[in-house]
Amino acid sequence: MGDNVHSVLVGRDRHRSRRFSALAGAFAFASTLVYTAIVLGGLPDTFPFMVGPIVVVLGAATVSAYLNDGVLVSGLITGLFAVGGIVAMHVDAGLGPVSYPVSLATDLRILAIFVGLGVAGSVVGAVARRVVARIA
């Protein structure tokens, strides 16, 4: 794989890519805890608790791309975050009947949407870095 392709997919700096990948794992763990706590009633089901973390994770994917490129790393950040929500949905479904479908197709759809958000954040971050570099 050429250096240009590698930098676009994984990032220019391997160490920074590893750190952002570790951050993705931390987001997966945190989203599992937070959304499971919401499902179990330990945290309120309000807008800040439901959408706030999504904004933070999308911002992290964008910052990752701004600092290092890496479409796959940005997709990993948002994708692993979605896995936490999917786990919480399955915990909720395991506790009793729910009003939404819980299936592999639903899980894959949610995962695809979040990975797509990460890729979009990656594009925004990479373009912003190039615009800033051109202006400066």
Side-chain angles (χ1 to χ4, degrees), residues 20 23 27 51-67 73-74 77-78 81 114 117-126 128:
F20 276 111
L23 179 65
F27 280 144
V51 179
I54 295 171
V55 172
V56 169
V57 168
L58 186 56
T62 305
V63 168
S64 169
Y66 182 84
L67 296 174
V73 175
S74 292
I77 290 171
T78 55
F81 174 80
F114 274 86
L117 285 172
V119 169
S122 175
V123 169
V124 169

Side-chain angles (χ1 to χ4, degrees), residues 7-56:
S7 69
V8 169
L9 291 178
V10 182
R12 296 181 315 275
D13 180 5
R14 290 179 194 262
H15 179 68
R16 189 172 278 168
S17 295
R18 282 189 212 110
R19 287 193 323 206
F20 276 111
S21 297
L23 179 65
F27 280 144
F29 181 72
S31 69
T32 300
L33 291 179
V34 168
Y35 289 123
T36 301
I38 289 171
V39 164
L40 297 177
L43 289 175
D45 186 6
T46 60
F47 184 80
F49 280 109
M50 296 300 288
V51 179
I54 295 171
V55 172
V56 169

